[in-house]
Amino acid sequence: MASAGSIKSMDLSVVIPVKNEAGNIAPLVAEIAAALDRLVDYEIVYVDDGSTDATAAEIRDLRETMPRLRLVRHAKNCGQSAAIRSGVKAARGLWIATLDGDGQNDPAFIPALIRVLESVAPRVGLVAGQRVGRQASGFKKFQSRIANAVRGAILRDGTRDSGCGLKAFRRDLFLALPYFDGLHRFLPALIRREGYDIGYVDVVDRQRRQGVSNYGMWDRLWIGILDLAGVWWLIRRKKRVPQVSEVKQASEVKQAAEVERNAD
């Protein structure tokens, strides 16, 4: 990753959506600090998506000794896409890194994501983690293979693992995307729709630390079918990305040239 001097203060926000992840907060925050301290000025934005356990209390307690830590709360559960969007909207950073709050995503890979984003910007709009050595049950792996195969065949987004929570992208680009519930599953296809390329980084998958997954078979496959059809329609409806430039009057061009000469 580039030195801290190449990234302005608070240009990186780490956004983490969570629901009922008590016990997983402090270890993940410590890992993020170990990965990013002395590299860049950053903030951590947790979005508590209607938790009914001690998740919010643990985050508030950590804020006493971790000034980089922020907490955004949903009054009731709204889903992972809504939580990510709330976190990105609240973020102060120009760039966003996301990861899941259960400990399966290793924050040590965040610098690698940012390095790729830096080196190929602005051509690449999103850098996505691609899990290797997946730590999941055989049935869950089967679900993911089916979902990724169907999505890839229809959207042709070139992404073999859209479910990895580790991603990095520009805040303004994300907020310009059409929002819908389930957006986070289709980010590569939607970013490509805007005319950008996608970068990839292989990341190591880990076991969940504590608790149970908040997303099951219905979330991973069947509910996504209508979303898949909607994203396919959006891509079909936007064939060409316009390259926009303003045509100035000759007098304005002459005046700008004179100002530049005088400045020299």
Side-chain angles (χ1 to χ4, degrees):
M1 187 175 182
S3 64
S6 69
I7 302 176
K8 294 187 178 67
S9 177
M10 208 53 68
D11 264 7
L12 177 63
S13 298
V14 181
V15 173
I16 311 171
V18 286
K19 179 188 176 187
N20 294 338
E21 294 291 355
N24 291 325
I25 305 299
L28 186 58
V29 169
E31 287 187 323
I32 294 171
L36 298 181
D37 281 358
R38 297 182 299 276
L39 288 180
V40 62
D41 194 9
Y42 66 95
E43 65 178 358
I44 304 171
V45 182
Y46 265 97
V47 183
D48 178 16
D49 187 29
S51 293
T52 56
D53 64 358
T55 294
E58 289 186 11
I59 298 170
R60 282 197 297 264
D61 289 345
L62 276 175
R63 289 176 62 190
E64 298 298 322
T65 56
M66 184 68 173
R68 299 182 187 276
L69 188 59
R70 299 172 59 199
L71 173 61
V72 175
R73 298 194 71 185
H74 288 171
K76 58 183 180 180
N77 176 245
C78 296
Q80 191 171 357
S81 285
I84 292 173
R85 183 171 174 83
S86 293
V88 174
K89 288 178 69 175
R92 303 186 183 106
L94 175 67
W95 291 347
I96 305 294
T98 63
L99 69 161
D100 295 335
D102 56 12
Q104 288 190 274
N105 299 150
D106 188 345
F109 288 97
I110 293 177
L113 298 179
I114 301 299
R115 272 197 300 269
V116 174
L117 199 58
E118 278 188 304
S119 64
V120 291
R123 179 173 57 84
V124 168
L126 167 73
V127 180
Q130 302 279 269
R131 291 169 290 188
V132 296
R134 182 83 188 275
Q135 299 295 310
S137 67
F139 182 55
K140 188 171 289 188
K141 290 178 183 177
F142 173 73
Q143 294 176 34
S144 294
R145 281 197 298 269
I146 296 274
N148 282 315
V150 171
R151 189 207 69 255
I154 293 175
L155 301 183
R156 302 186 183 279
D157 58 5
T159 303
R160 65 171 172 80
D161 180 18
S162 66
C164 180
L166 270 166
K167 294 182 174 70
F169 48 83
R170 286 207 333 255
R171 178 178 181 272
D172 60 344
L173 178 56
F174 177 88
L175 292 176
L177 298 176
Y179 175 74
F180 58 92
D181 190 24
L183 165 73
H184 68 282
R185 300 185 186 96
F186 302 100
L187 280 179
L190 292 169
I191 296 292
R192 285 189 187 279
R193 174 181 179 266
E194 298 302 313
Y196 294 89
D197 291 337
I198 310 298
Y200 299 98
V201 172
D202 283 344
V203 300
V204 175
D205 192 36
R206 307 189 297 189
Q207 293 281 359
R208 161 183 277 276
R209 282 198 180 91
Q210 297 186 46
V212 296
S213 174
N214 293 299
Y215 304 99
M217 178 66 175
W218 293 102
D219 297 284
R220 294 175 186 277
L221 182 57
W222 305 119
I223 288 179
I225 289 176
L226 287 177
D227 294 335
L228 181 60
V231 174
W232 176 83
W233 181 86
L234 283 171
I235 292 172
R236 295 275 296 179
R237 293 295 296 172
K238 188 167 186 176
K239 292 292 188 180
R240 185 174 301 163
V241 178
Q243 301 297 317
V244 180
S245 62
E246 182 180 358
V247 179
K248 297 184 178 296
Q249 297 286 355
S251 57
E252 293 177 304
V253 174
K254 183 178 179 181
Q255 183 179 7
E258 291 176 354
V259 170
E260 186 175 346
R261 281 197 300 271
N262 292 335
D264 293 339

